[in-house]
Amino acid sequence: MKEMEKAYEPSKFEDEIYQKWIDSGFFNPDNLEGEPFSVMMPPPNVTGILHLGHALENSLMDLMVRYQRMQGKKVLLLPGTDHAAVATQAKVEGLLVKEGIEHPREELGREELLSRIRTFAEDSKATILGQIRKLGTSADWSRLRYTFDDDRNRAVNEIFKRMYDDGLIYRGTRLINWSIGAQSVLSDDELEWDEKQEPFYYIRCGNFVIGTVRPETKCANSPLVVHPEGVYVKVRFTNADGETDELILSKNLFDDKEQMENVLSALQPQSEFVVIEEKMGKELEGQTFEYETYAGSRTFTVLADEVIDMEKGAGAMTISSNHSADDYDLANRRGLDETFIQKIDFSGKMTSIAGELEGETIESARKKSVQIMKDKGLIVGEDVSYVHRVPLCYRTKTVIEPMVSNQWFVDVNKKFVLKQSKLKDIKAGQEVTLKELMQTVVRSGEVNILPDRYNKTYFEWIDNLRDWCISRQIWWGHRIPVWYRGEEVYCGVEAPQGDGWTQDEDTLDTWFSSGLWTFSTLGWPDQTEDLKLFHPTNWMQMGWEILFFWMARMILMTTYAIGEIPFSNVYIHGMLRDKDGKKFSKSAGNGIDPLEMIEQYGADALRYSLVTGCTPGNDSRFYIEKVEDARNLVNKLWNLSRFMKGNIRESALTPEISQMPQAYTLADQWVIQKLQNTITQVNTLVAEYQFTLALEKLREFTWNDVADWYLEIAKRESEGEEKSEILNVILSTLLRLWHPFMPFVTEAIWQNVYGEEQIIMVAPWPKAMSTQGNEKIENQFEIVRSVITGLRNIRGEYNIPYTVDLSVSIETEEFQVLLDSQAQVIQKLLKLQSFTIAPQIDKTDTMVSFVDTGVTVYVDLAGAVDFEKEKERIQKEIDGIEPYVIAQEKKLSNESFVSNAPEAVVNQEKEKLAKAKENLKKLKEQQESFV
RNA sequence: GCGUGCCUAGCUCAGUUGGUUAGAGCACCUCGUUUACACCGAGGGGGUCAGGGGUUCGAAUCCCUUGGCACGCACCA
């Protein structure tokens, strides 16, 4: 058996242990018995390396899985990675641009670009999988999956075809979100909204005034929309050139002089405005006029519609049906076909309708159009403080341009017949919509989201859900399985027979394939054994930021495809932030590589520091100090194990615990009882997913109870070997309880202590045994403990080193027998030569004392007593107790408390009062003795 | 505009059916090399649980309200 070194050095053990775990075969559930328990690893994107957030996620899933494995279950943790369509292509394109390939798609072509991306993805994949191993994740590598491998592609095509045949996937022309940067459409939830301050221009259009932040779009014929019920006034005034002029404004604006000032800030009228006419919007409808724009003269026809907000601007607008969601809806609703004018092309440049600004970028056209309009006197006002939110591409961070385009969608509101179902509230053959499926399984509780409050967020999102745009114009991704030949359209898992077919150019939204993750990874569409055994999965954890992207899509896909829920429990963890509470991000340069942390402090320390203090749904901060603390704890575990090992005789060293060990002393009884309590508590807390609390209990027991008290006592109580069995039970149990949280160090110790052929990973999870004990043990131990602590306190306050003996007398009647029996312990821990215990002690002037329930301890300091200090100390104690006694007496004399509170509570309070009163009385006596 | 979360010791956070004189880790102060561990041990100081109101015998915990911070959804001519 190898010596245990003085300090645990993770780097000396971790790789070797991980390899041993793999070699053992126990990562693979085929080698395990019992009830199946499955977790699908959320596949990290192959866009680079893992960050601490991934490390948190891995720690959570691995602790869950290791706990279950030790419970004797057939555990599968299936690892994998995600091709992350847009993200990866954007990443690689960015790198290529840096290398000098300015237009990767044009310059390289489809095949070459794809091959470059593939190379990058494979590199990244290798890095990521290496990181996952470093974290100690107990995943079954024989079942490694990739969202873009051949079998997953088959699953994607299969489900596409089924949805297509069910009429749930359709192709249609819609207003979509176009990412100029990614050169692709994005779904609604792939947008990020950024608050921006941009000038809001008031532009003259005939006699009307319209407002816009997008002056570059004001270059085409348009209806001029007013509110039918809105009141408009025509005002006459003398303009800057001294000419008589007229404007039509909403009455609201005209009545609000301050606002009027803003809207017409550039007009500089030379007279008052005189109202010459007042009309309703609907009365204005129909009139047509020609007016200048920055790109020449255009025709406008007044249209009355309720979309107009009379409080905004001058109560009138023109529209860009191809470049605004509201306008697009309005144009469709009112049949304004002639307004579908493409002003901006898909590369983000102005079209010929912009006249001389054709070919300009949006940004440049905006500036130039304003200049032209200013020169033409078309701008009547400008609000520079206008703040609005603009959509950005979540991957490339470039502006999203609404565009009209032909795309593929999943219809979430269409009724279809669910072919198979194991769901609680929806039976096979029933008509449902995808939206209803998503709602029902969460409402029924089949999918349980933790914490609860995310249910609300989830439902809110689904209520607002519109058809899901699934086609992308990027090349990196699952190709849409649709082929065309002339007018013919073919949708199938495989390419159609015959010549002349061309496949749709587009690829699928990455979430389309990751939505299938829980079952496509198990071999679907084949009816595999794995699918039967491991689906639905039992547990899933994810950050709230992908609740909609992923969780909702998994529910949609899984319920649709196989009529099952994807998982029964989702644990939503918060986001990991840096020490200042900022998001970790590359641009902020505050990223921390998990591998560096592992190298420095060990994987166990990293895992512990991430999981502790982390509660469901709440963000947490990452501190180096936390990792250091965790490292210290790991080392503590190592060292107490080292000590125990040295104090257990060889024949007692066994990992199996078949029976309760013989307890010889109070401390023995106490620690055994505590150990059982700890097992019970940890079990309960882990079962409730309260990892932080479980860890707190474990830490407290390990460090405070075992290391600081029990082992210190055990050293003094045992000359021989009678502690062997107890120490072995504690050691074996502690290591197993810690293993899910600190897999490496516990394995290292386990194999060192119990032999290299042993493996803690599949050791049975500890079960609490009943302690035929009395509840008094804990109280008795507390008495001993407080006598010792009290005496240490006096040593501290009087600065008496342990080399100087104390003359101690303990006055007690109630606990005389107890303290007599613990005399050795007290004496040795405090390094006393001797001390006396008696029912009655005569206090002298040279003594100081402290009290506890039923016990008063006197220390004769001879000449060393500092009376002032002593009085102060006693007074402080009295100050602590007295208000409490008063409060308790008041409480207990309160009739309604005594009659309303449960009897147990009342009794408990009475008992506490009695103790406090007794202590107070003694303290007061002592105080008097000083006077 | 609608909604959610958070505000507890100097710092970071626990505190899950309302009932311990409100906890932990770090930091701080004092002491200490006692054969597991200085990645240590012993002792100590430190909080009217954001403010106000209410329900209750009893509130950090439930309700209302004010303020601050963070976030989600919607809007975004």
Side-chain angles (χ1 to χ4, degrees), chain A residues 261-281:
Chain A
E261 192 92 339
N262 285 329
V263 171
L264 303 179
S265 58
L267 197 63
Q268 297 176 314
Q270 300 191 357
S271 73
E272 291 294 307
F273 294 103
V274 181
V275 177
I276 55 169
E277 205 174 69
E278 187 171 311
K279 277 190 173 163
M280 302 273 278

Side-chain angles (χ1 to χ4, degrees), chain A residues 677-841:
Chain A
N677 292 346
T678 305
I679 296 170
T680 309
Q681 284 172 328
V682 170
N683 277 337
T684 310
L685 291 167
V686 172
E688 291 169 354
Y689 312 134
Q690 306 216 52
F691 308 124
T692 295
L693 285 179
L695 284 172
E696 210 174 292
K697 291 286 171 211
L698 248 186
R699 181 195 172 104
E700 192 183 293
F701 176 69
T702 305
W703 203 318
N704 298 347
D705 293 337
V706 174
D708 291 344
W709 282 97
Y710 183 71
L711 292 185
E712 290 307 315
I713 292 173
K715 277 181 200 168
R716 276 119 188 141
E717 279 185 340
S718 61
E719 308 295 4
E721 290 174 332
E722 74 270 24
K723 300 284 191 197
S724 285
E725 276 75 19
I726 288 185
L727 290 177
N728 184 62
V729 166
I730 296 173
L731 180 57
S732 160
T733 309
L734 269 187
L735 290 174
R736 284 178 288 145
L737 288 175
W738 275 114
H739 181 256
F741 306 100
M742 298 181 168
F744 287 111
V745 70
T746 46
E747 190 72 75
I749 300 169
W750 189 264
Q751 297 193 2
N752 182 290
V753 173
Y754 296 122
E756 304 209 343
E757 70 291 351
Q758 294 291 338
I759 185 159
I760 195 174
M761 184 173 75
V762 287
W765 186 255
K767 285 201 181 82
M769 301 189 207
S770 71
T771 44
Q772 69 279 42
N774 51 69
E775 305 90 36
K776 279 191 198 150
I777 288 170
E778 209 160 321
N779 293 333
Q780 291 183 337
F781 192 81
E782 275 316 308
I783 299 284
V784 177
R785 186 138 82 163
S786 76
V787 166
I788 294 167
T789 305
L791 284 165
R792 281 172 174 167
N793 189 355
I794 286 180
R795 268 206 202 276
E797 292 208 2
Y798 282 91
N799 253 327
I800 308 165
Y802 278 83
T803 46
V804 175
D805 191 31
L806 288 184
S807 161
V808 176
S809 317
I810 301 176
E811 179 181 272
T812 182
E813 216 172 325
E814 194 181 345
F815 299 116
Q816 179 148 19
V817 177
L818 168 72
L819 291 175
D820 265 333
S821 76
Q822 298 305 307
Q824 285 273 328
V825 170
I826 295 170
Q827 213 170 309
K828 286 185 174 171
L829 279 179
L830 291 162
K831 294 192 180 276
L832 301 177
Q833 296 296 329
S834 65
F835 67 99
T836 52
I837 306 172
Q840 189 72 45
I841 303 287

Side-chain angles (χ1 to χ4, degrees), chain A residues 595-636:
Chain A
L595 288 188
E596 254 172 58
M597 291 293 112
I598 290 174
E599 204 173 308
Q600 214 174 336
Y601 300 102
D604 295 323
L606 179 64
R607 291 171 56 132
Y608 177 89
S609 72
L610 291 172
V611 172
T612 189
C614 154
T615 44
N618 296 332
D619 292 352
S620 52
R621 297 190 192 191
F622 183 83
Y623 277 87
I624 294 289
E625 288 86 343
K626 259 192 199 168
V627 191
E628 274 173 9
D629 172 56
R631 186 261 329 256
N632 296 353
L633 174 62
V634 169
N635 191 243
K636 191 75 189 178

